């Protein structure tokens, strides 16, 4: 316990990985703000029921993955394993139903007690969106197109495919459930122990099992599309037609289901084959029953969330920052003057790396190390005449210029 180390499955994010994660979130924010989404920040913990009652009491998250604890007042609290339940809780408790539609996005840490492996952490970051109050397929199309534009902006369209399916409305799901139960009962002995229990409590969950024996049985299970009623089929077709119209490429995957109880109609994932078993980088769907189930009104919803670390791992090039200027005082007595120049240049929008010590050779080496484009060399004699030397670090060229023309010379 006294060892100084991080908790298993958690990581310190810094350097290149942090720059990439920031880029993912910045790209996402920029895209979804164009669609009128506003950022919301909800607490990272909620009353345990917010998750346990709404994600489904046989879901993997609720049965195995939640970090629950009792606080000093005896309340059972849980570190959020996902974003939707907290946002919907806020939508209800803040009375946002008054002004529909509501379009929100969030970014922040999520917590799941899972077996750590590449792309699977116990604390990870999600960026996600929720659109509340639109029943028509326009919402599905818009929300999926947003995900598409986001991934395109990151330059990952060649790496990632959109997969989509429909689970239909309640009537279709009930019809499907009956067929599925009949099928699973025929294969009862081949199922994992967990899935035998699921068959009793929530048979749809078997479809999402990660156990090999279950996956085999599921391969030949009945398909949702054969149980969709007319209205659900029409809804799904409208979504697909819309995506076609926008030129969004997708693959209908009849086997796609999502692991949480609250989904209906459209479900989708953006997947890659570059991350091994952890290939889903973004996932979402429609959740028309969730608001009501949580005690709000009859309000439809649809949203998605992406794994920021998984997406970051797909970014090949490091994020390039503008090259800095190195500011080098030649003697100690001009340190303060150099600081003043640095302050002024930074306020003018330039990135400036101050040089803190060492001889001129060391300082120039340091300037190269931070990839500076220019060095501004401040010497006492020149300074007394109101001048400094600017050295172009690529060409080696240098010239003496007037103190207040530095910005102009560098640009
Ligand atoms: P998986 O099938 O990989 O377990 P999931 O269905 O549990 O994913 P969601 O709840 O849909 O995942 O979360 C949305 C996204 O968040 C995932 O597609 C993934 O990119 C990311 N994600 C989920 N769990 C983790 C984790 N433990 N570590 C890192 N990223 C994760
Ligand atoms: Mg999972």
């Amino acid at each position: 316990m006294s060892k100084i180390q991080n908790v298993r499955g958690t990581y310190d994010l810094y350097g290149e990985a942090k720059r990439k994660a920031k880029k993912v979130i910045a790209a996402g924010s920029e895209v979804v703000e164009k669609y009128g989404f506003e950022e919301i920040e909800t607490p990272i913990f909620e009353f345990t029921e917010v998750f346990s009652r709404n994600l489904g009491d046989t879901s993997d998250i609720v049965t195995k993955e939640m970090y629950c604890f009792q606080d000093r007042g005896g309340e059972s609290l849980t570190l959020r394993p996902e974003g939707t339940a907290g946002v919907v809780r806020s939508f209800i408790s803040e009375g946002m139903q008054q002004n529909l539609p509501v379009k929100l996005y969030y970014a922040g840490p999520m917590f799941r007690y899972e077996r750590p492996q590449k792309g699977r952490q116990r604390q990870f970051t999600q960026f996600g969106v929720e659109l509340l109050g639109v029943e028509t397929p326009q919402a599905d199309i818009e929300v999926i197109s947003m995900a598409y534009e986001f991934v395109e902006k990151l330059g990952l369209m060649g790496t990632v495919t959109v997969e989509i399916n429909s689970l239909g409305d309640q009537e279709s799901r009930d019809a499907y459930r009956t067929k599925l139960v009949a099928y699973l009962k025929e294969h009862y002995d081949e199922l994992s122990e967990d899935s035998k229990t699921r068959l009793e409590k929530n048979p749809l969950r078997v479809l999402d099992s990660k156990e090999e024996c279950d996956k085999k049985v599921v391969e030949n299970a009945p398909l949702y599309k054969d149980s969709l009623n007319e209205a659900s089929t029409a809804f799904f077709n409208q979504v697909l037609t819309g995506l076609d119209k926008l030129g969004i490429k997708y693959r209908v995957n009849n086997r796609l289901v999502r692991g949480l109880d609250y989904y209906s109609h459209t479900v989708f994932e953006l997947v890659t084959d570059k991350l091994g078993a952890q290939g889903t980088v973004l996932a979402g769907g429609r959740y028309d029953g969730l608001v009501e189930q949580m005690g709000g009104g009859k309000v439809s919803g649809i949203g998605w969330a992406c794994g920021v670390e998984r997406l970051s791992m797909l970014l090949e090039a490091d994020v390039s920052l503008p090259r800095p200027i190195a500011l080098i005082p030649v003697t100690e007595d001009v340190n303060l003057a150099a600081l003043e120049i640095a302050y002024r240049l930074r306020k003018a929008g330039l990135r400036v790396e101050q040089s803190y010590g060492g001889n001129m050779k060391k300082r120039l080496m340091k300037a190269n190390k931070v990839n500076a484009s220019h060095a501004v060399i401040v010497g006492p004699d020149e300074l007394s005449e109101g001048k400094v030397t600017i050295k172009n670090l690529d060409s080696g060229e240098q010239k003496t210029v007037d103190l207040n023309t530095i910005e102009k010379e560098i640009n």
Side-chain angles (χ1 to χ4, degrees):
M1 221 354 245
S2 64
K3 264 185 293 172
I4 300 295
Q5 60 178 34
N6 55 331
V7 174
R8 191 165 129 80
T10 67
Y11 299 88
D12 303 307
L13 205 52
Y14 63 97
E16 184 174 340
K18 180 66 192 182
R19 286 194 290 276
K20 287 181 172 175
K22 257 175 97 168
K23 177 177 167 169
V24 168
I25 293 171
S29 312
E30 199 184 318
V31 168
V32 307
E33 281 178 5
K34 287 192 299 179
Y35 290 74
F37 282 67
E38 271 208 75
E39 186 162 12
I40 181 170
E41 195 172 323
T42 62
I44 62 166
F45 53 82
E46 298 273 352
F47 290 120
T48 296
E49 300 104 71
V50 169
F51 307 111
S52 63
R53 288 203 12 229
N54 299 302
L55 309 188
D57 54 9
T58 54
S59 65
D60 277 353
I61 292 186
V62 173
T63 53
K64 304 176 193 157
E65 299 175 0
M66 293 205 308
Y67 279 96
C68 305
F69 62 98
Q70 216 176 46
D71 74 2
R72 287 168 194 273
E75 299 281 8
S76 174
L77 305 179
T78 293
L79 295 183
R80 62 181 183 193
E82 57 98 60
T84 304
V87 170
V88 171
R89 191 274 308 142
S90 171
F91 173 83
I92 297 168
S93 55
E94 295 291 323
M96 296 185 207
Q97 297 100 308
Q98 300 313 317
N99 208 352
L100 297 176
V102 167
K103 302 191 253 182
L104 299 167
Y105 78 90
Y106 59 85
M110 305 293 161
F111 306 85
R112 297 184 192 176
Y113 190 80
E114 299 198 71
R115 194 168 68 77
Q117 48 197 299
K118 185 181 174 193
R120 198 175 288 290
Q121 308 170 193
R122 289 183 174 172
Q123 177 176 336
F124 61 101
T125 314
Q126 278 187 345
F127 174 89
V129 301
E130 314 293 351
L131 168 49
L132 290 136
V134 184
E135 289 168 12
T136 60
Q138 281 154 296
D140 308 53
I141 300 161
E142 192 169 60
V143 159
I144 294 171
S145 70
M146 228 162 40
Y148 193 82
E149 190 186 335
F150 167 42
V151 171
E152 210 171 31
K153 193 176 175 71
L154 291 172
L156 296 176
M157 225 43 248
T159 321
V160 169
T161 336
V162 181
E163 301 205 337
I164 186 167
N165 194 19
S166 174
L167 310 180
D169 57 12
Q170 195 57 49
E171 187 187 77
S172 308
R173 289 187 70 166
D174 290 344
Y176 179 73
R177 188 191 163 105
T178 308
K179 279 196 202 170
L180 181 68
V181 169
Y183 171 82
L184 291 177
K185 281 194 171 148
E186 285 168 33
H187 296 270
Y188 189 80
D189 295 335
E190 299 155 53
L191 293 173
S192 70
E193 286 313 308
D194 272 354
S195 283
K196 284 176 181 157
T197 317
R198 291 180 184 123
L199 180 51
E200 298 299 319
K201 287 195 184 160
N202 190 340
L204 299 179
R205 185 81 65 219
V206 177
L207 298 173
D208 204 44
S209 168
K210 292 192 168 100
E211 302 275 350
E212 279 312 315
C213 55
D214 296 333
K215 282 189 186 167
K216 265 219 186 94
V217 175
V218 166
E219 251 168 53
N220 297 311
L223 295 173
Y224 262 105
K225 74 171 163 80
D226 300 321
S227 301
L228 295 188
N229 59 19
E230 217 172 295
S232 298
T233 306
F235 189 97
F236 191 40
N237 285 336
Q238 283 183 66
V239 174
L240 299 184
T241 307
L243 295 177
D244 290 336
K245 184 97 186 149
L246 300 184
I248 291 172
K249 291 179 220 74
Y250 57 83
R251 189 174 81 87
V252 175
N253 175 356
N254 287 306
R255 292 285 169 210
L256 181 65
V257 292
R258 304 274 312 124
L260 303 176
D261 273 358
Y262 52 57
Y263 289 109
S264 57
H265 285 294
T266 318
V267 290
F268 53 93
E269 289 190 352
L270 269 59
V271 297
T272 176
D273 53 13
K274 297 255 155 58
L275 295 175
Q278 277 61 250
T280 306
V281 292
L282 181 150
R286 185 169 265 285
Y287 49 86
D288 287 346
L290 181 61
V291 178
E292 198 172 22
Q293 183 189 321
M294 287 182 74
K298 239 182 147 38
V299 178
S300 3
I302 179 164
W304 51 255
C306 74
V308 171
E309 290 83 0
R310 286 191 198 175
L311 273 172
S312 303
M313 281 190 279
L314 293 177
L315 298 180
E316 276 168 12
D318 194 358
V319 176
S320 56
L321 299 169
R323 295 174 71 185
I325 313 296
L327 205 88
I328 305 181
V330 177
T331 53
E332 249 174 57
D333 54 333
V334 294
N335 273 354
L336 203 59
L339 254 173
E340 200 186 342
I341 298 171
Y343 186 64
R344 196 187 86 208
L345 295 181
R346 286 170 180 146
K347 281 212 287 195
L350 295 168
R351 270 186 75 202
V352 180
E353 290 276 353
Q354 262 241 103
S355 140
Y356 298 110
N359 60 26
M360 184 55 74
K361 193 173 154 216
K362 275 224 175 95
R363 290 182 191 231
L364 281 172
M365 267 163 58
K366 189 89 189 162
N368 279 317
K369 212 170 150 207
V370 298
N371 191 29
S373 61
H374 297 79
V376 172
I377 301 164
V378 186
D381 299 340
E382 286 171 334
L383 192 64
S384 62
E385 292 163 23
K387 292 185 186 307
V388 292
T389 299
I390 296 181
K391 183 177 167 106
N392 181 318
L393 295 174
D394 293 329
S395 65
E397 213 178 298
Q398 65 179 58
K399 63 176 168 180
T400 303
V401 306
D402 217 75
L403 203 49
N404 34 31
T405 61
I406 304 175
E407 293 97 317
K408 216 175 82 201
E409 291 293 335
I410 285 169
N411 291 323

